[in-house]
């Protein structure tokens, strides 16, 4: 079935460094790729998303890139801060519709 | 808007008991999703509704699980009978799709932490 692979599972960086999380998807009809941040004990919250007609999107320190040919998309966080520490999930829509399949998550730890 | 509302926030029950989780989506949203999150399996979609109609229940693990959406502002997820392996955090989410089937943000509720002993 459709799946989304996410790497790495854990990522430790020093404050101020950049962090990159990568995902691959299998459904060629996927057209929507959101990224969610989940802090411990909290709900997942959308931080950025990208649609298939765009190759890159940026929002302050966060950017997402999409390569539809290779079925890859990535999250880039620059100038990381301790409050960026959380679990990050990528997701891809299935069949071009509302159904999302989530990656397994990346635990990001930003050390001061 | 208060966002997606779920109740109860925590539920502890004994194996074999019936459990009912409740969700109120954001007003005006026409999609509602039920997810289950565990360490082992991550975030899994159980079922989703569009305009109160179940669209895809392929993620429902077995017949012990059922979900209903009697109106646009209320949905339930029921487990009967419950088992220890059902212990997880259950999230409800809602969204509003735009034109041409383009997906939009799913807003998650705070979740219900279910423990079955």
């Amino acid at each position: 079935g459709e799946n989304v692979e996410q790497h790495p599972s854990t990522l430790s960086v020093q404050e101020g460094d950049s962090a990159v999380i990568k995902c691959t998807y299998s459904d060629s009809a996927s057209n929507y790729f959101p990224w969610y941040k989940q802090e411990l004990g909290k709900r997942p919250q959308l931080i950025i998303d990208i649609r298939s007609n765009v190759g890159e999107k940026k929002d302050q320190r966060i950017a997402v890139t999409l390569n539809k040919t290779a079925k890859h998309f990535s999250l880039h966080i620059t100038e990381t801060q301790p409050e960026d520490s959380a679990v990050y999930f990528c997701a891809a829509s299935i069949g071009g519709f509302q159904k999302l399949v989530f990656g397994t998550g990346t635990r990001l730890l930003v050390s001061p | 808007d208060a966002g997606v509302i779920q109740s109860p926030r925590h539920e502890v029950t004994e194996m074999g008991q019936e459990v009912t989780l409740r969700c109120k989506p954001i007003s005006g949203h026409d999609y509602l999703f039920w997810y289950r999150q565990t360490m082992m399996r991550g975030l899994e979609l159980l079922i989703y509704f569009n305009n109160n109609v179940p669209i895809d229940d392929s993620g429902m693990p077995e017949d012990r699980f059922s979900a209903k959406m009697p109106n646009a502002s209320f949905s339930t997820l029921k487990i009967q009978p419950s088992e220890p392996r059902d212990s997880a955090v259950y999230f409800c989410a809602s969204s509003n799709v735009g034109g041409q089937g383009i997906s939009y943000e799913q807003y998650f509720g705070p979740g219900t932490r279910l423990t079955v002993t």
Side-chain angles (χ1 to χ4, degrees):
Chain A
E2 304 90 356
N3 72 302
V4 175
E5 295 189 0
Q6 183 172 349
H7 300 281
S9 57
T10 59
L11 180 58
S12 294
V13 300
Q14 291 292 121
E15 182 177 1
D17 288 348
S18 294
V20 180
I21 303 171
K22 298 182 179 181
C23 290
T24 60
Y25 61 97
S26 59
D27 186 358
S28 57
S30 295
N31 65 0
Y32 176 63
F33 308 90
W35 286 87
Y36 283 81
K37 176 183 180 182
Q38 186 178 27
E39 297 177 352
L40 188 62
K42 301 291 182 63
R43 75 191 78 187
Q45 291 191 294
L46 183 77
I47 55 171
I48 195 167
D49 57 12
I50 191 168
R51 300 195 176 99
S52 58
N53 57 347
V54 176
E56 183 174 359
K57 183 177 179 181
K58 189 173 182 179
D59 182 3
Q60 299 182 347
R61 296 186 297 109
I62 296 173
V64 58
T65 58
L66 172 65
N67 182 330
K68 284 217 73 177
T69 301
K71 297 181 185 173
H72 291 171
F73 58 115
S74 301
L75 177 71
H76 304 253
I77 306 174
T78 59
E79 301 173 25
T80 54
Q81 301 168 2
E83 50 266 38
D84 294 330
S85 296
V87 178
Y88 292 81
F89 293 94
C90 63
S93 64
I94 297 301
F97 296 102
Q98 283 285 313
K99 182 176 179 178
L100 294 179
V101 173
F102 282 82
T104 50
T106 296
R107 184 173 301 277
L108 175 64
L109 176 62
V110 182
S111 303
Chain B
D1 199 314
V4 176
I5 299 173
Q6 291 187 246
S7 65
R9 295 292 308 276
H10 302 272
E11 177 80 31
V12 180
T13 190
E14 293 183 347
M15 183 175 67
Q17 296 298 307
E18 177 181 301
V19 175
T20 299
L21 311 182
R22 298 172 175 80
C23 175
K24 176 179 168 56
I26 293 172
S27 177
H29 281 190
D30 51 4
Y31 280 82
L32 184 139
F33 308 82
W34 282 101
Y35 290 92
R36 178 173 66 177
Q37 186 175 39
T38 61
M39 288 295 293
M40 291 296 294
R41 301 178 66 87
L43 197 58
E44 303 173 278
L45 176 65
L46 300 178
I47 184 171
Y48 76 96
F49 296 83
N50 177 216
N51 292 323
N52 314 336
V53 176
I55 303 300
D56 186 338
D57 65 354
S58 60
M60 296 286 262
E62 45 196 278
D63 292 345
R64 298 184 297 106
F65 286 69
S66 63
K68 294 181 180 179
M69 192 166 186
N71 58 62
S73 58
F74 184 66
S75 177
T76 59
L77 178 67
K78 184 178 294 186
I79 308 173
Q80 179 184 24
S82 59
E83 297 183 2
R85 59 193 168 116
D86 301 330
S87 298
V89 179
Y90 291 81
F91 287 104
C92 175
S94 70
S95 70
N96 192 16
V97 73
Q100 299 178 341
I102 298 174
S103 301
Y104 283 82
E105 177 179 358
Q106 293 185 19
Y107 294 81
F108 282 74
T112 295
R113 182 173 296 276
L114 174 64
T115 302
V116 184
T117 61

